[in-house]
Amino acid sequence: MTEQGRRMVRQEDASNRKASKLPTTAALAPAGRRVLGFTLVELLVTIAVAGVLLTLGVPSMRTLMMNNRMTALTNDLATAVHLARTEAIRRGVSVTVCSGTATVGNTTGIATGQCSSSTWNQGWLVIADPSGTSELVWSRGPAGDSPSIETATNALTFSARGHLTSP
């Protein structure tokens, strides 16, 4: 290849390289200043998209939270019923799950509880009844702003064999 042919190939390569380069932000900036950040239009579009996503997401998030509270409350009550039945069989005495609240004795520091006619939302207790004395096995406090529990009875009693003896 001659010297003139080599020059032509070099010029072609140089022009191909220049054509393939994309302009950069710095190249587009006026007076050689470098541009950083977002334009006002980009910021407004981003805020609008975020607003639409929040508008769609917040109601479904509230529903999800209420469903989770209801599930947690149901699981807590089911746990208390299963615990009462298990304790009745294990201890060989009747055990009751009832609505009520536990109190802690000032001098002894031991928690005690009594069944009450209050609603299940005020809390519930698992009480074993060995030889006529009520022994608190487990308690749950007020349900707060969780869904309310409506039942026909305020207590469930399991016999020493694990059978339900109350309605």
Side-chain angles (χ1 to χ4, degrees):
M1 187 182 260
T2 66
E3 184 65 34
Q4 189 178 9
R6 286 185 192 147
R7 271 191 234 141
M8 287 175 64
V9 169
R10 278 191 221 134
Q11 286 174 350
E12 242 178 66
D13 287 344
S15 66
N16 285 344
R17 275 186 259 146
K18 286 180 186 174
S20 69
K21 284 187 178 180
L22 297 173
T24 61
T25 306
L28 296 176
R33 290 188 357 217
R34 190 166 185 193
V35 177
L36 298 175
F38 300 103
T39 65
L40 183 60
V41 172
E42 291 171 333
L43 182 63
L44 289 175
V45 167
T46 304
I47 290 173
V49 168
V52 168
L53 290 176
L54 284 174
T55 301
L56 295 174
V58 168
S60 61
M61 179 62 115
R62 184 166 188 253
T63 303
L64 176 70
M65 288 174 53
M66 286 304 293
N67 287 341
N68 283 345
R69 286 181 185 149
M70 185 169 46
T71 301
L73 191 64
T74 303
N75 287 340
D76 283 351
L77 186 57
T79 299
V81 171
H82 289 290
L83 176 66
R85 184 173 185 269
T86 302
E87 286 294 312
I89 295 169
R90 187 178 72 83
R91 294 176 183 222
V93 297
S94 64
V95 176
T96 303
V97 179
C98 61
S99 61
T101 55
T103 57
V104 179
N106 291 340
T107 56
T108 61
I110 297 173
T112 59
Q114 289 192 350
C115 296
S116 65
S117 60
S118 64
T119 64
W120 289 92
N121 286 3
Q122 298 305 312
W124 52 82
L125 310 168
V126 177
I127 297 174
D129 195 14
S131 65
T133 62
S134 296
E135 179 183 336
L136 182 65
V137 177
W138 187 76
S139 69
R140 188 202 192 280
D145 63 345
S146 295
S148 63
I149 300 172
E150 301 292 329
T151 61
T153 182
N154 289 337
L156 298 171
T157 303
F158 291 93
S159 69
R161 300 187 85 195
H163 299 290
L164 190 62
T165 59
S166 65

